[in-house]
Amino acid sequence: MFDTHCHLDLLSARGIGVEAAVKQAENCGVQHIIVPGIDASNWSTIANYAKQYSSVEWAIGIHPMFVTPESLAEIDLMQAKLESGADCIAIGECGLDFFHGRDNQVLQTEVLIAQLKLAQRFELPVLLHVRKAHQELIKLLKQYPLSRGGVVHGFSGSYEQGMDFVRLGFSLGIGGTITYQRANKTRNAVACLPLEALVLETDAPDMPLFGYQGQPNQPKMVRDVLACCVTLRQESEQTITQKMTENATKLFNLIGR
Ligand SMILES: [Zn+2]
């Protein structure tokens, strides 16, 4: 199993040791944990996790909710790090988030486009974050096509919304959302979206699974997300496990790692 989206660097503030979380995940069968960048302030911390733990990989990026006027200088720094051979395996998380309004829509868009261009130039997949910006993101992904695609993380949309991304060559990050009965639309979508397009994630310490509300989420919980996928879909547990692992292995080019 893969946890394709896990904020290991935010676990300790919630009382969970990084080492313990990684070891427990490994013991539950998690082979790889991908830790997304938030902005320049967390890049070296998460790059160090990747050095320290063989199951951990990191991505370099600026999260749309952390976009500020300084982000443009951070884009230059990101480019310099990529040029000097940073060992990150993706760009992200990046994207658009208009949940709290569109005051900085122009800046968010500019910072995203810069990251999409870097992803294409350095042939890396992207980890995408999108809230209240489905159409805008689709439009940008058409305008700036990516040969390696990426993951739309924390997928919580409908079948049609999911297929909009799948048709553009993107995968969907499936997390704790589907463990809630009330998430009907997304549960139905996950039941019928092509298995080739699905990867697992936790978004730990956020997005706790049903039954764990109020507790920090952890990477070992991908096991439970997978179990929920199995109840929703037609294929066997073995097929789903194999395929979702293979999807992520190929996408992030971690064959043999
Ligand atoms: Zn995230």
Side-chain angles (χ1 to χ4, degrees):
M1 283 177 290
F2 259 68
D3 186 353
T4 62
H5 199 106
C6 175
H7 297 279
L8 280 181
D9 55 317
L10 305 180
L11 286 177
S12 51
R14 307 280 295 273
I16 295 173
V18 172
E19 172 137 2
V22 171
K23 294 289 169 247
Q24 284 176 25
E26 287 172 355
N27 290 339
C28 290
V30 180
Q31 295 125 307
H32 290 289
I33 299 171
I34 300 177
V35 188
I38 294 295
D39 61 23
S41 69
N42 88 331
W43 296 342
S44 61
T45 305
I46 64 176
N48 276 329
Y49 293 155
K51 277 198 187 75
Q52 226 175 324
Y53 307 107
S54 60
S55 57
V56 174
E57 309 289 344
W58 73 290
I60 194 164
I62 301 170
H63 190 297
M65 289 184 78
F66 294 82
V67 161
T68 67
E70 282 86 75
S71 300
L72 298 169
E74 294 190 351
I75 291 283
D76 293 339
L77 181 61
M78 190 187 301
Q79 181 173 330
K81 282 185 176 291
L82 290 163
E83 280 167 353
S84 64
D87 59 354
C88 50
I89 60 154
I91 302 280
E93 59 183 294
C94 55
L96 297 173
D97 191 324
F98 302 142
F99 186 75
H100 298 289
R102 291 174 181 260
D103 295 353
N104 67 349
Q105 178 168 1
V106 172
L107 188 58
Q108 275 195 39
T109 306
E110 192 179 348
V111 172
L112 171 59
I113 290 173
Q115 293 181 88
L116 295 177
K117 285 180 174 169
L118 287 175
Q120 184 62 355
R121 183 174 148 206
F122 290 92
E123 295 178 3
L124 290 169
V126 286
L127 306 176
L128 292 167
H129 168 111
V130 56
R131 263 204 313 181
K132 305 270 180 221
H134 180 82
Q135 292 307 338
E136 291 86 346
L137 182 60
I138 293 286
K139 197 175 150 205
L140 285 175
L141 295 175
K142 284 181 178 164
Q143 235 176 314
Y144 299 93
L146 299 178
S147 51
R148 296 247 339 244
V151 180
V152 178
H153 116 81
F155 177 68
S156 63
S158 65
Y159 174 79
E160 266 316 312
Q161 285 173 326
M163 284 307 294
D164 284 346
F165 291 112
V166 173
R167 285 186 203 103
L168 292 175
F170 288 83
S171 301
L172 304 169
I174 309 302
T177 302
I178 60 165
T179 62
Y180 292 81
Q181 287 289 344
R182 64 165 191 269
N184 254 319
K185 175 186 67 175
T186 304
R187 285 164 64 90
N188 291 337
V190 169
C192 9
L193 282 160
L195 185 56
E196 294 70 33
L198 306 182
V199 295
L200 294 169
E201 67 163 72
T202 61
D203 201 19
D206 294 328
M207 286 176 65
L209 279 67
F210 177 76
Y212 297 87
Q213 294 97 319
Q215 297 174 38
N217 198 3
Q218 298 193 48
K220 67 177 177 187
M221 298 304 286
V222 277
R223 186 187 51 185
D224 294 50
V225 178
L226 174 66
C228 186
C229 281
V230 171
T231 67
L232 294 174
R233 295 190 62 96
Q234 301 297 317
E235 302 93 341
S236 70
E237 177 175 358
Q238 197 198 359
T239 303
I240 294 175
T241 310
Q242 259 177 17
K243 192 72 200 155
M244 286 179 104
T245 301
E246 190 185 303
N247 295 343
T249 307
K250 277 192 197 153
L251 178 59
F252 295 104
N253 202 10
L254 291 172
I255 298 152
R257 274 170 82 176

